[in-house]
Amino acid sequence: MFNRCTVMAAVAFSAIVVTAPAYAQDKSIVVASTTSTQDSGLFEYLLPIFKQKTGITVKVVAQGTGQALDTGRRGDADVVFVHAKSAEEKFLAEGQGVQRYPVMYNDFVLIGPKSDPAGIKGMKDVAKAFQTIKAKQASFISRGDRSGTNIAELRLWKDAGIDIAKDHGPWYKAIGQGMGAALNTAGASNAYVLSDRGTWIHFKNKGDLAILVEGDKRMFNQYGVMLVNPAKHPNVKQDLGQQFIDYLISPEGQKAIAKYKINGEQLFYPNANDRSA
């Protein structure tokens, strides 16, 4: 004959049996991230290492930085991993993120056809290169998608003394798409385009395109990571998301990022210890 204690024990045991596999299956997080971390192949390399270490599956939503931050604002991601510091600081000021951690950097490069119709190859002043492109009305492809790269491009036009929103013509095309699409469009239309170096190195369809301008300090490209604020979005998986962040900024994670290379060329440079980044 079952007494009350026996029944309660049976119920508790069945709950454990039912819920434990469900929890194991749910050991995953959503990371809203810039397209460059995806298009460069970094996640394809890094996430299996992280899963083997922690058992956590990372589901990536690859978007322009502006869109990725908006995904975080809706609570549709646990972590955002992007590259536009001013936009990241605004996200924090809104209370949408818990803390920003620098992770790594590379740089932007100005890509164009090898024939270089604007004659900018080898310039060290990227603002001067932008001025020349406009003066010659050479074809230019803009992502036009509020991504970190698009934000950087608009800043460079401003540095060149050009209000591109008012002062563009048919030569300037904003396509509203990711980096891979922008590079493909530039290749197909003999145009210039700003790219992050990581995506460019990984890009398979270079065709007649080449790096024409690089090395200006204004082309520095910093990446940061933030946990979406669980106080605003209770569905955020705080513990699992923080484990991902902790791995990225740990000596082990930083070493793994530095080891990611294509044809011997390093794509990202870890700098989690640089709190000014």
Side-chain angles (χ1 to χ4, degrees):
M1 182 174 179
F2 290 106
N3 58 29
R4 179 181 175 84
C5 292
T6 305
V7 172
M8 293 300 293
V11 170
F13 176 76
S14 65
I16 292 170
V17 171
V18 171
T19 59
Y23 174 79
Q25 290 174 1
D26 196 37
K27 198 173 181 183
S28 66
I29 58 171
V30 175
V31 174
S33 184
T34 166
T35 59
S36 59
T37 46
Q38 181 92 323
D39 291 348
S40 64
L42 177 67
F43 278 153
E44 186 179 356
Y45 155 79
L46 196 63
L47 296 186
I49 299 173
F50 174 69
K51 183 173 182 180
Q52 185 174 24
K53 178 180 173 63
T54 64
I56 299 170
T57 298
V58 177
K59 302 172 183 177
V60 177
V61 180
Q63 303 170 301
T65 285
Q67 294 171 310
L69 291 171
D70 284 346
T71 297
R73 286 184 177 97
R74 294 192 300 271
D76 291 336
D78 304 294
V79 174
V80 290
F81 187 8
V82 291
H83 66 143
K85 188 174 181 179
S86 60
E88 294 163 46
E89 289 174 338
K90 183 174 185 290
F91 185 81
L92 286 177
E94 294 168 355
Q96 296 290 349
V98 176
Q99 182 178 345
R100 177 185 178 275
Y101 301 84
V103 178
M104 62 193 186
Y105 70 92
N106 59 13
D107 62 344
F108 295 107
V109 287
L110 188 51
I111 307 293
K114 293 174 184 175
S115 59
D116 190 20
I120 63 169
K121 184 177 181 180
M123 284 187 178
K124 299 302 180 186
D125 183 337
V126 67
K128 180 66 175 175
F130 272 55
Q131 289 169 352
T132 305
I133 288 170
K134 179 186 177 297
K136 298 194 176 182
Q137 298 199 357
S139 295
F140 188 97
I141 302 301
S142 170
R143 284 179 57 173
D145 62 352
R146 297 192 304 126
S147 62
T149 304
N150 184 216
I151 290 169
E153 175 224 320
L154 296 177
R155 186 183 69 245
L156 291 173
W157 284 115
K158 186 176 180 180
D159 287 349
I162 297 166
D163 183 350
I164 197 64
K166 296 180 179 177
D167 211 11
H168 67 275
W171 56 275
Y172 182 89
K173 295 182 176 64
I175 63 171
Q177 297 185 57
M179 197 68 253
L183 286 166
N184 279 322
T185 303
S189 54
N190 210 41
Y192 296 90
V193 62
L194 187 73
S195 174
D196 68 281
R197 189 181 293 271
T199 301
W200 169 250
I201 292 171
H202 189 261
F203 186 60
K204 301 289 195 298
N205 189 31
K206 290 181 172 67
D208 192 45
L209 296 175
I211 295 175
L212 299 180
V213 177
E214 59 185 326
D216 190 314
K217 65 182 181 181
R218 289 172 289 193
M219 300 170 86
F220 180 78
N221 181 29
Q222 176 69 45
Y223 290 80
V225 67
M226 297 176 286
L227 182 74
V228 175
N229 192 351
K232 277 188 176 287
H233 306 286
N235 59 308
V236 167
K237 297 175 184 175
Q238 181 174 1
D239 292 342
L240 300 182
Q242 191 62 49
Q243 283 187 59
F244 178 62
I245 292 170
D246 289 346
Y247 172 73
L248 290 176
I249 64 176
S250 71
E252 182 183 354
Q254 294 276 283
K255 186 176 180 181
I257 289 168
K259 280 186 174 179
Y260 178 54
K261 298 179 180 180
I262 295 178
N263 297 326
E265 190 169 0
Q266 187 170 335
L267 278 73
F268 300 96
Y269 296 84
N271 67 340
N273 291 326
D274 183 358
R275 293 306 177 188
S276 66

